[in-house]
Amino acid sequence: MTDDLDRVMAVMQAAFDPAWGEAWTRRQVGDSLAFPHTHYLLIGPDGLPPRDDEPAAGFTLVRAAPGEEELLLIAVRPDHRGRGLGRKLLDRVFAEARGRGAERVFLEMRFNNPAARLYEAAGFAPIGRRKDYYRLPDGSKIDAITFACPIGADA
């Protein structure tokens, strides 16, 4: 797990723009993974799980609850974007969530996050808005948008 946490943090550092203050700390990620209902996935540059000696190109962090899951974090290193890795990660999240009995996956993101295109293409739809939810490093505030994606047998 320590090696995987190193790989998650390497992707986090490369993928999250500090201007938005969205990256989690090593402690936040490690503490969340201490709970049995929190799961992570790693992806290599070829779209498969990375080999033991290979850095990750991306990751997800997901929290499970009865009948649903929440995508807490998803990231792909900038030098690996545009290759479909984000979509492959989401497809794996959906498959694993279905295997745990989930019927929907939720996520929340800042209003102007360009990843909305990826989420909507994968089947997520906006279901709510939290006004001034995020405080940015410069002190300004921005809304959060919540999304849901049905993944059950009827989806």
Side-chain angles (χ1 to χ4, degrees):
M1 173 58 199
T2 300
D3 290 340
D4 283 350
L5 186 53
D6 290 342
R7 293 198 268 189
V8 165
M9 296 312 299
V11 173
M12 183 102 59
Q13 184 176 6
F16 286 92
D17 183 342
W20 298 108
E22 296 166 322
W24 287 21
T25 65
R26 182 182 188 86
R27 182 172 181 164
Q28 287 172 309
V29 174
D31 286 353
S32 71
L33 289 171
F35 292 101
H37 59 276
T38 304
H39 311 279
Y40 71 98
L41 294 170
L42 296 173
I43 196 165
D46 59 0
L48 300 172
R51 295 180 299 278
D52 288 342
D53 62 339
E54 181 179 41
F59 75 91
T60 62
L61 187 64
V62 180
R63 179 174 42 216
E68 62 187 47
E69 302 215 358
E70 180 182 8
L71 180 63
L72 300 171
L73 291 168
I74 181 170
V76 174
R77 294 179 62 95
D79 56 331
H80 293 291
R81 290 182 184 157
R83 301 179 190 175
L85 297 179
R87 181 58 191 256
K88 286 181 181 179
L89 278 167
L90 287 176
D91 289 344
R92 287 178 53 201
V93 165
F94 295 160
E96 291 197 9
R98 272 188 219 98
R100 289 187 285 268
E103 295 178 4
R104 291 196 307 175
V105 175
F106 295 90
L107 66 84
E108 174 187 284
M109 63 172 212
R110 68 179 148 81
F111 168 69
N112 62 349
N113 189 331
R117 290 186 308 271
L118 168 66
Y119 302 139
E120 290 170 349
F124 283 92
I127 59 168
R129 186 180 197 116
R130 295 176 176 155
K131 180 107 175 101
D132 295 335
Y133 186 77
Y134 292 111
R135 181 178 303 276
L136 303 178
D138 68 3
S140 63
K141 295 179 182 177
I142 193 166
D143 294 355
I145 307 298
T146 54
F147 286 79
C149 181
I151 61 165
D154 298 340

PDB file of all heavy atoms in Angstrom, residues 93-112:
ATOM      1  N   VAL A  93     -14.365   1.960 -12.206  1.00  0.00           N
ATOM      2  CA  VAL A  93     -15.111   2.358 -11.008  1.00  0.00           C
ATOM      3  C   VAL A  93     -16.532   1.804 -11.092  1.00  0.00           C
ATOM      4  O   VAL A  93     -17.034   1.212 -10.129  1.00  0.00           O
ATOM      5  CB  VAL A  93     -15.127   3.896 -10.841  1.00  0.00           C
ATOM      6  CG1 VAL A  93     -16.189   4.334  -9.833  1.00  0.00           C
ATOM      7  CG2 VAL A  93     -13.754   4.400 -10.424  1.00  0.00           C
ATOM      8  N   PHE A  94     -17.194   1.983 -12.237  1.00  0.00           N
ATOM      9  CA  PHE A  94     -18.568   1.511 -12.399  1.00  0.00           C
ATOM     10  C   PHE A  94     -18.642  -0.012 -12.224  1.00  0.00           C
ATOM     11  O   PHE A  94     -19.525  -0.515 -11.531  1.00  0.00           O
ATOM     12  CB  PHE A  94     -19.136   1.894 -13.767  1.00  0.00           C
ATOM     13  CG  PHE A  94     -19.283   3.370 -14.000  1.00  0.00           C
ATOM     14  CD1 PHE A  94     -19.389   3.853 -15.289  1.00  0.00           C
ATOM     15  CD2 PHE A  94     -19.315   4.287 -12.964  1.00  0.00           C
ATOM     16  CE1 PHE A  94     -19.538   5.209 -15.534  1.00  0.00           C
ATOM     17  CE2 PHE A  94     -19.456   5.647 -13.194  1.00  0.00           C
ATOM     18  CZ  PHE A  94     -19.573   6.101 -14.495  1.00  0.00           C
ATOM     19  N   ALA A  95     -17.729  -0.732 -12.841  1.00  0.00           N
ATOM     20  CA  ALA A  95     -17.746  -2.198 -12.755  1.00  0.00           C
ATOM     21  C   ALA A  95     -17.542  -2.668 -11.311  1.00  0.00           C
ATOM     22  O   ALA A  95     -18.263  -3.555 -10.833  1.00  0.00           O
ATOM     23  CB  ALA A  95     -16.677  -2.799 -13.677  1.00  0.00           C
ATOM     24  N   GLU A  96     -16.576  -2.081 -10.632  1.00  0.00           N
ATOM     25  CA  GLU A  96     -16.323  -2.493  -9.245  1.00  0.00           C
ATOM     26  C   GLU A  96     -17.474  -2.083  -8.334  1.00  0.00           C
ATOM     27  O   GLU A  96     -17.844  -2.822  -7.417  1.00  0.00           O
ATOM     28  CB  GLU A  96     -14.991  -1.949  -8.755  1.00  0.00           C
ATOM     29  CG  GLU A  96     -13.832  -2.630  -9.461  1.00  0.00           C
ATOM     30  CD  GLU A  96     -12.502  -2.444  -8.767  1.00  0.00           C
ATOM     31  OE1 GLU A  96     -12.460  -1.921  -7.636  1.00  0.00           O
ATOM     32  OE2 GLU A  96     -11.483  -2.839  -9.373  1.00  0.00           O
ATOM     33  N   ALA A  97     -18.051  -0.898  -8.577  1.00  0.00           N
ATOM     34  CA  ALA A  97     -19.181  -0.442  -7.771  1.00  0.00           C
ATOM     35  C   ALA A  97     -20.384  -1.371  -7.957  1.00  0.00           C
ATOM     36  O   ALA A  97     -21.051  -1.735  -6.977  1.00  0.00           O
ATOM     37  CB  ALA A  97     -19.543   0.999  -8.138  1.00  0.00           C
ATOM     38  N   ARG A  98     -20.648  -1.777  -9.200  1.00  0.00           N
ATOM     39  CA  ARG A  98     -21.731  -2.735  -9.451  1.00  0.00           C
ATOM     40  C   ARG A  98     -21.480  -4.030  -8.686  1.00  0.00           C
ATOM     41  O   ARG A  98     -22.406  -4.604  -8.111  1.00  0.00           O
ATOM     42  CB  ARG A  98     -21.832  -3.057 -10.947  1.00  0.00           C
ATOM     43  CG  ARG A  98     -22.697  -2.137 -11.723  1.00  0.00           C
ATOM     44  CD  ARG A  98     -22.909  -2.640 -13.155  1.00  0.00           C
ATOM     45  NE  ARG A  98     -22.886  -1.510 -14.046  1.00  0.00           N
ATOM     46  CZ  ARG A  98     -21.852  -1.088 -14.762  1.00  0.00           C
ATOM     47  NH1 ARG A  98     -20.718  -1.734 -14.749  1.00  0.00           N
ATOM     48  NH2 ARG A  98     -21.950  -0.030 -15.526  1.00  0.00           N
ATOM     49  N   GLY A  99     -20.221  -4.464  -8.691  1.00  0.00           N
ATOM     50  CA  GLY A  99     -19.859  -5.685  -7.970  1.00  0.00           C
ATOM     51  C   GLY A  99     -20.079  -5.587  -6.469  1.00  0.00           C
ATOM     52  O   GLY A  99     -20.271  -6.602  -5.791  1.00  0.00           O
ATOM     53  N   ARG A 100     -20.072  -4.369  -5.938  1.00  0.00           N
ATOM     54  CA  ARG A 100     -20.342  -4.158  -4.512  1.00  0.00           C
ATOM     55  C   ARG A 100     -21.818  -3.831  -4.268  1.00  0.00           C
ATOM     56  O   ARG A 100     -22.208  -3.496  -3.152  1.00  0.00           O
ATOM     57  CB  ARG A 100     -19.463  -3.031  -3.965  1.00  0.00           C
ATOM     58  CG  ARG A 100     -17.989  -3.413  -3.848  1.00  0.00           C
ATOM     59  CD  ARG A 100     -17.171  -2.340  -3.133  1.00  0.00           C
ATOM     60  NE  ARG A 100     -16.914  -1.178  -3.952  1.00  0.00           N
ATOM     61  CZ  ARG A 100     -15.834  -0.994  -4.719  1.00  0.00           C
ATOM     62  NH1 ARG A 100     -14.896  -1.927  -4.771  1.00  0.00           N
ATOM     63  NH2 ARG A 100     -15.688   0.113  -5.420  1.00  0.00           N
ATOM     64  N   GLY A 101     -22.644  -3.902  -5.321  1.00  0.00           N
ATOM     65  CA  GLY A 101     -24.079  -3.697  -5.172  1.00  0.00           C
ATOM     66  C   GLY A 101     -24.562  -2.278  -5.374  1.00  0.00           C
ATOM     67  O   GLY A 101     -25.733  -1.979  -5.112  1.00  0.00           O
ATOM     68  N   ALA A 102     -23.713  -1.388  -5.855  1.00  0.00           N
ATOM     69  CA  ALA A 102     -24.126   0.002  -6.065  1.00  0.00           C
ATOM     70  C   ALA A 102     -25.016   0.122  -7.292  1.00  0.00           C
ATOM     71  O   ALA A 102     -24.824  -0.582  -8.281  1.00  0.00           O
ATOM     72  CB  ALA A 102     -22.914   0.912  -6.209  1.00  0.00           C
ATOM     73  N   GLU A 103     -25.972   1.036  -7.203  1.00  0.00           N
ATOM     74  CA  GLU A 103     -26.838   1.335  -8.329  1.00  0.00           C
ATOM     75  C   GLU A 103     -26.572   2.710  -8.917  1.00  0.00           C
ATOM     76  O   GLU A 103     -27.003   3.000 -10.022  1.00  0.00           O
ATOM     77  CB  GLU A 103     -28.301   1.239  -7.897  1.00  0.00           C
ATOM     78  CG  GLU A 103     -28.678  -0.180  -7.497  1.00  0.00           C
ATOM     79  CD  GLU A 103     -30.115  -0.290  -7.013  1.00  0.00           C
ATOM     80  OE1 GLU A 103     -30.851   0.724  -7.055  1.00  0.00           O
ATOM     81  OE2 GLU A 103     -30.485  -1.385  -6.593  1.00  0.00           O
ATOM     82  N   ARG A 104     -25.869   3.571  -8.146  1.00  0.00           N
ATOM     83  CA  ARG A 104     -25.527   4.914  -8.633  1.00  0.00           C
ATOM     84  C   ARG A 104     -24.160   5.305  -8.094  1.00  0.00           C
ATOM     85  O   ARG A 104     -23.751   4.878  -7.023  1.00  0.00           O
ATOM     86  CB  ARG A 104     -26.545   5.966  -8.162  1.00  0.00           C
ATOM     87  CG  ARG A 104     -27.886   5.827  -8.780  1.00  0.00           C
ATOM     88  CD  ARG A 104     -28.769   7.027  -8.632  1.00  0.00           C
ATOM     89  NE  ARG A 104     -28.908   7.490  -7.257  1.00  0.00           N
ATOM     90  CZ  ARG A 104     -29.554   8.591  -6.910  1.00  0.00           C
ATOM     91  NH1 ARG A 104     -30.117   9.354  -7.835  1.00  0.00           N
ATOM     92  NH2 ARG A 104     -29.672   8.944  -5.654  1.00  0.00           N
ATOM     93  N   VAL A 105     -23.498   6.162  -8.863  1.00  0.00           N
ATOM     94  CA  VAL A 105     -22.239   6.772  -8.438  1.00  0.00           C
ATOM     95  C   VAL A 105     -22.458   8.279  -8.439  1.00  0.00           C
ATOM     96  O   VAL A 105     -23.031   8.831  -9.381  1.00  0.00           O
ATOM     97  CB  VAL A 105     -21.068   6.385  -9.368  1.00  0.00           C
ATOM     98  CG1 VAL A 105     -19.797   7.121  -8.979  1.00  0.00           C
ATOM     99  CG2 VAL A 105     -20.839   4.872  -9.346  1.00  0.00           C
ATOM    100  N   PHE A 106     -22.001   8.901  -7.374  1.00  0.00           N
ATOM    101  CA  PHE A 106     -22.105  10.354  -7.223  1.00  0.00           C
ATOM    102  C   PHE A 106     -20.724  10.981  -7.284  1.00  0.00           C
ATOM    103  O   PHE A 106     -19.720  10.319  -6.999  1.00  0.00           O
ATOM    104  CB  PHE A 106     -22.741  10.715  -5.867  1.00  0.00           C
ATOM    105  CG  PHE A 106     -24.152  10.265  -5.725  1.00  0.00           C
ATOM    106  CD1 PHE A 106     -24.454   9.015  -5.205  1.00  0.00           C
ATOM    107  CD2 PHE A 106     -25.196  11.089  -6.116  1.00  0.00           C
ATOM    108  CE1 PHE A 106     -25.761   8.594  -5.079  1.00  0.00           C
ATOM    109  CE2 PHE A 106     -26.509  10.675  -5.994  1.00  0.00           C
ATOM    110  CZ  PHE A 106     -26.793   9.423  -5.465  1.00  0.00           C
ATOM    111  N   LEU A 107     -20.685  12.250  -7.602  1.00  0.00           N
ATOM    112  CA  LEU A 107     -19.452  13.025  -7.483  1.00  0.00           C
ATOM    113  C   LEU A 107     -19.827  14.481  -7.293  1.00  0.00           C
ATOM    114  O   LEU A 107     -20.963  14.892  -7.548  1.00  0.00           O
ATOM    115  CB  LEU A 107     -18.529  12.849  -8.691  1.00  0.00           C
ATOM    116  CG  LEU A 107     -18.960  13.372 -10.060  1.00  0.00           C
ATOM    117  CD1 LEU A 107     -18.628  14.855 -10.228  1.00  0.00           C
ATOM    118  CD2 LEU A 107     -18.258  12.582 -11.141  1.00  0.00           C
ATOM    119  N   GLU A 108     -18.862  15.235  -6.847  1.00  0.00           N
ATOM    120  CA  GLU A 108     -19.032  16.671  -6.678  1.00  0.00           C
ATOM    121  C   GLU A 108     -17.779  17.336  -7.217  1.00  0.00           C
ATOM    122  O   GLU A 108     -16.682  16.816  -7.041  1.00  0.00           O
ATOM    123  CB  GLU A 108     -19.197  16.965  -5.190  1.00  0.00           C
ATOM    124  CG  GLU A 108     -19.234  18.431  -4.857  1.00  0.00           C
ATOM    125  CD  GLU A 108     -19.232  18.615  -3.356  1.00  0.00           C
ATOM    126  OE1 GLU A 108     -20.274  18.406  -2.732  1.00  0.00           O
ATOM    127  OE2 GLU A 108     -18.155  18.947  -2.835  1.00  0.00           O
ATOM    128  N   MET A 109     -17.963  18.475  -7.878  1.00  0.00           N
ATOM    129  CA  MET A 109     -16.815  19.186  -8.427  1.00  0.00           C
ATOM    130  C   MET A 109     -17.103  20.677  -8.458  1.00  0.00           C
ATOM    131  O   MET A 109     -18.251  21.097  -8.365  1.00  0.00           O
ATOM    132  CB  MET A 109     -16.488  18.687  -9.827  1.00  0.00           C
ATOM    133  CG  MET A 109     -17.588  18.931 -10.816  1.00  0.00           C
ATOM    134  SD  MET A 109     -17.051  18.544 -12.474  1.00  0.00           S
ATOM    135  CE  MET A 109     -18.016  19.740 -13.357  1.00  0.00           C
ATOM    136  N   ARG A 110     -16.052  21.449  -8.626  1.00  0.00           N
ATOM    137  CA  ARG A 110     -16.243  22.892  -8.741  1.00  0.00           C
ATOM    138  C   ARG A 110     -16.942  23.202 -10.061  1.00  0.00           C
ATOM    139  O   ARG A 110     -16.800  22.486 -11.054  1.00  0.00           O
ATOM    140  CB  ARG A 110     -14.917  23.642  -8.610  1.00  0.00           C
ATOM    141  CG  ARG A 110     -13.967  23.433  -9.736  1.00  0.00           C
ATOM    142  CD  ARG A 110     -12.682  24.241  -9.536  1.00  0.00           C
ATOM    143  NE  ARG A 110     -11.558  23.557 -10.114  1.00  0.00           N
ATOM    144  CZ  ARG A 110     -11.235  23.572 -11.394  1.00  0.00           C
ATOM    145  NH1 ARG A 110     -11.944  24.289 -12.245  1.00  0.00           N
ATOM    146  NH2 ARG A 110     -10.195  22.907 -11.831  1.00  0.00           N
ATOM    147  N   PHE A 111     -17.659  24.282 -10.066  1.00  0.00           N
ATOM    148  CA  PHE A 111     -18.503  24.687 -11.189  1.00  0.00           C
ATOM    149  C   PHE A 111     -17.782  24.694 -12.530  1.00  0.00           C
ATOM    150  O   PHE A 111     -18.300  24.202 -13.523  1.00  0.00           O
ATOM    151  CB  PHE A 111     -19.101  26.066 -10.897  1.00  0.00           C
ATOM    152  CG  PHE A 111     -19.754  26.699 -12.081  1.00  0.00           C
ATOM    153  CD1 PHE A 111     -20.928  26.189 -12.602  1.00  0.00           C
ATOM    154  CD2 PHE A 111     -19.183  27.790 -12.699  1.00  0.00           C
ATOM    155  CE1 PHE A 111     -21.534  26.763 -13.702  1.00  0.00           C
ATOM    156  CE2 PHE A 111     -19.779  28.369 -13.800  1.00  0.00           C
ATOM    157  CZ  PHE A 111     -20.951  27.854 -14.295  1.00  0.00           C
ATOM    158  N   ASN A 112     -16.588  25.220 -12.599  1.00  0.00           N
ATOM    159  CA  ASN A 112     -15.919  25.407 -13.890  1.00  0.00           C
ATOM    160  C   ASN A 112     -14.890  24.328 -14.208  1.00  0.00           C
ATOM    161  O   ASN A 112     -14.005  24.550 -15.028  1.00  0.00           O
ATOM    162  CB  ASN A 112     -15.259  26.786 -13.937  1.00  0.00           C
ATOM    163  CG  ASN A 112     -14.186  26.950 -12.875  1.00  0.00           C
ATOM    164  OD1 ASN A 112     -14.054  26.125 -11.973  1.00  0.00           O
ATOM    165  ND2 ASN A 112     -13.417  28.021 -12.969  1.00  0.00           N
TER     166      ASN A 112
END
